[in-house]
Amino acid sequence: KQWYQRRVRADGDHLTLANMRSNLELNQLSTNTSLLESYEDPNVVQCVHLPWESASESGLSAFVPEIILGADILYDRSCFPDLVRILAILLNRRKSVSSSRKESSKSFTLDTKCNTNDLNDLTAVTSKGPVAYIATVIRNIDTFNYFLSLVEQANLSITDLTEAKMPFNLLPYMQSYDRSNMRLFTVSSKA
């Protein structure tokens, strides 16, 4: 049984969205570009165009995330104000933990690859409200500090999980990469 009810993939670049759809379809998942319909089918993933610079609060009303994932999005400081604005809008939406959500998380089945403590950690974090996980490489400390200052101004909290949630060395070619600048953060509302 699935733990989630709806999955949305968003990007501001049409070519990236087309690539996402293609990858999802290669993995036998259906895609849809409409946010107006609600999907509980685990085989349907919504892929929507979401340019940060033009997204409005009313335009984001269709998004009610529990978890936001971002990968390698902290490199262009000119995009940070819009990124942080969108994160603040989405993360400040307090969603009550309904009994149906509690039931769906109780029905989640663990397999041998999943650690029960990891599931409990994730459930505990999301029960407090939406959370964003951002994986990034810190290329320039001044650029990263600028992002941190915007996060603080937006009344958001950021936590570095890198040491606590160190990834496994499962892929041999990954061992040749310098991972000292790779970081994993959570961003959440302070409210």
Side-chain angles (χ1 to χ4, degrees), residues 8-9 20 24 45 47 72 94 117 138 171 176:
V8 178
R9 303 293 184 263
M20 274 194 261
L24 290 164
V45 179
C47 292
D72 203 22
R94 292 291 176 183
N117 292 331
I138 299 177
L171 304 173
S176 65

Side-chain angles (χ1 to χ4, degrees), residues 134-154:
I134 298 176
T136 193
V137 172
I138 299 177
R139 295 171 177 87
N140 178 304
I141 195 65
D142 292 332
T143 300
F144 183 69
N145 285 336
Y146 175 59
F147 174 73
L148 292 177
S149 70
L150 292 174
V151 166
E152 181 65 29
Q153 290 170 25

Side-chain angles (χ1 to χ4, degrees), residues 74-91:
L74 302 181
Y75 56 88
D76 184 353
R77 66 185 290 138
S78 69
C79 296
F80 291 177
D82 293 316
L83 169 60
V84 172
R85 179 180 55 81
I86 288 172
L87 286 173
I89 290 168
L90 296 175
L91 296 174

Side-chain angles (χ1 to χ4, degrees), residues 62-181:
F63 295 95
V64 185
E66 292 181 18
I67 299 171
I68 299 168
L69 300 176
D72 203 22
I73 57 175
L74 302 181
Y75 56 88
D76 184 353
R77 66 185 290 138
S78 69
C79 296
F80 291 177
D82 293 316
L83 169 60
V84 172
R85 179 180 55 81
I86 288 172
L87 286 173
I89 290 168
L90 296 175
L91 296 174
N92 282 312
R93 291 189 181 154
R94 292 291 176 183
K95 193 173 150 192
S96 65
V97 182
S98 67
S99 59
S100 65
R101 178 156 166 256
K102 287 180 185 174
E103 288 304 313
S104 68
S105 65
K106 284 181 189 170
S107 65
F108 182 77
T109 56
L110 299 174
D111 63 27
T112 57
K113 297 176 187 171
C114 184
N115 182 325
T116 306
N117 292 331
D118 291 341
L119 177 62
N120 291 337
D121 289 349
L122 182 61
T123 304
V125 170
T126 60
S127 68
K128 296 175 187 173
V131 63
Y133 290 90
I134 298 176
T136 193
V137 172
I138 299 177
R139 295 171 177 87
N140 178 304
I141 195 65
D142 292 332
T143 300
F144 183 69
N145 285 336
Y146 175 59
F147 174 73
L148 292 177
S149 70
L150 292 174
V151 166
E152 181 65 29
Q153 290 170 25
N155 201 31
L156 297 174
S157 173
I158 187 165
T159 304
D160 188 341
L161 297 179
T162 308
E163 300 303 320
K165 302 290 182 187
M166 191 63 83
F168 295 112
N169 288 319
L170 300 177
L171 304 173
Y173 63 86
M174 287 296 292
Q175 294 174 13
S176 65
Y177 291 129
D178 175 15
R179 293 201 261 174
S180 62
N181 290 332

